[in-house]
Amino acid sequence: MKWEGQRESENVEDHRGNGGGGGGLPGLGALGGRGLGVGGIVVVLLLSWFLGVNPMSLLGAMDGGGGLAQAPAVRQPAGETANDPATRFAKVVLADTEDVWGAYFERAQRRYEPPTLVLYSGREATACGQGVSAMGPFYCPGDRKVYLDLSFNETLSQRLGAPGDFAQAYVIAHEVGHHIQNLLGTSARMEAARQRLSERDYNALSVRLELQADCLAGVWAFHSQRGKGWLEQGDLEEGLNAASRIGDDTLQREAGRSVVPESFTHGSSAQRVGWFKRGLQSGEIKTCDSFKSGAV
């Protein structure tokens, strides 16, 4: 991506190194399973390997299960500044989502209210509860903020096999997609459904929510490229690869477990790639109706 020299968003709060580090797992349950972002499930599975914990125990903790031992502290790297490339890149991508969605909402005669990106290390208090780095990037509808520990970029590249700057951009665009869902009332309807559905039925519904966010990330990419022409050869492939590498079926296989579709919360690799492509090819929100009967 030709991102150097592009506008950087000012809707960023840098909380790294402010004493909030030292991510522990006991706060995981506060956010619950729906607080997980695009990388949440996989990072927890990876963390379970390091801690020697059954990965299903970690996932259960996110739905309010029992507490776990304290995880090793995640500290801000020494000398990290607000001007390092990873930070500037995140700000540039966020700024472009503001431009794309601002124009999109304006065409619909609505005002776009952009989210705030919070950069943190270790753990962070949010309106949705305690967030920790092990959850990966996530969006909290309660405070309309996207939370990102930039160490996830290394996880995405080296451990998940999804390198490249556009893979990182896709992650941010997916979380902003959840913000779009919040603005359009989808998040509120999901929360209402959670009160009346079984865990299995709600998991199925959450898959549709995540696939729609993937599609919205594709809509952003469509308009972003049309406006800036900043994607280079191989960039789109990076995004598609990232979508594939974090599919529930792929993550379950890499965790050494059988693939259990009934337990999916984000969708299979094929589904995630398909819905990202759908938005990328159409550039229209109306094509992202993953909740329509038979859509998934």
Side-chain angles (χ1 to χ4, degrees), residues 15-204:
H15 294 180
R16 295 171 293 179
N18 66 355
L25 288 176
L28 274 173
L31 269 163
R34 303 288 75 77
L36 287 180
V38 66
I41 298 295
V42 65
V43 178
V44 170
L45 292 174
L46 289 168
L47 182 61
S48 71
W49 299 341
F50 294 123
L51 298 178
V53 176
N54 184 324
M56 292 303 105
S57 297
L58 276 177
L59 296 177
M62 294 180 185
D63 287 317
L68 297 169
Q70 180 94 355
V74 180
R75 301 293 182 185
Q76 177 184 0
E80 187 174 55
T81 70
N83 292 318
D84 68 288
T87 300
R88 290 189 292 110
F89 177 75
K91 290 180 177 179
V92 166
V93 173
L94 183 66
D96 193 69
T97 65
E98 293 166 354
D99 295 340
V100 167
W101 289 117
Y104 199 103
F105 272 57
E106 185 177 1
R107 290 194 295 272
Q109 299 184 325
R110 293 189 56 175
R111 178 176 174 270
Y112 178 60
E113 301 172 15
T116 297
L117 174 65
V118 177
L119 300 176
Y120 75 102
S121 56
R123 62 187 178 192
E124 181 75 13
T126 82
C128 298
Q130 179 88 312
V132 296
S133 298
M135 297 170 58
F138 64 93
Y139 172 75
C140 175
D143 54 24
R144 297 189 172 186
K145 294 181 179 181
V146 172
Y147 291 86
L148 173 63
D149 186 326
L150 289 173
S151 65
F152 181 71
N153 291 345
E154 180 179 352
T155 299
L156 188 66
S157 174
Q158 298 184 13
R159 298 177 187 170
L160 302 184
D165 47 14
F166 192 70
Q168 298 167 18
Y170 156 75
V171 169
I172 295 174
H174 173 96
E175 300 307 333
V176 173
H178 284 308
H179 178 65
I180 301 300
Q181 292 172 322
N182 193 22
L183 295 179
L184 297 179
T186 307
S187 300
R189 291 192 291 273
M190 280 288 294
E191 186 58 29
R194 187 177 188 179
Q195 308 303 318
R196 56 181 174 78
L197 294 178
S198 67
E199 180 179 355
R200 177 173 176 173
D201 288 342
Y202 188 79
N203 279 350

Side-chain angles (χ1 to χ4, degrees), residues 267-295:
S268 69
S269 293
Q271 287 174 321
R272 301 202 71 168
V273 168
W275 281 92
F276 179 67
K277 280 184 175 180
R278 183 183 296 231
L280 181 62
Q281 292 167 355
S282 70
E284 294 290 342
I285 288 181
K286 63 183 179 182
T287 66
C288 296
D289 187 4
S290 55
F291 294 91
K292 183 170 59 178
S293 178

Side-chain angles (χ1 to χ4, degrees), residues 1-8 85 88-89 92 230:
M1 290 179 67
K2 302 174 184 177
W3 65 272
E4 292 281 4
Q6 301 285 349
R7 181 180 77 85
E8 298 180 12
R88 290 189 292 110
F89 177 75
V92 166
W230 60 346

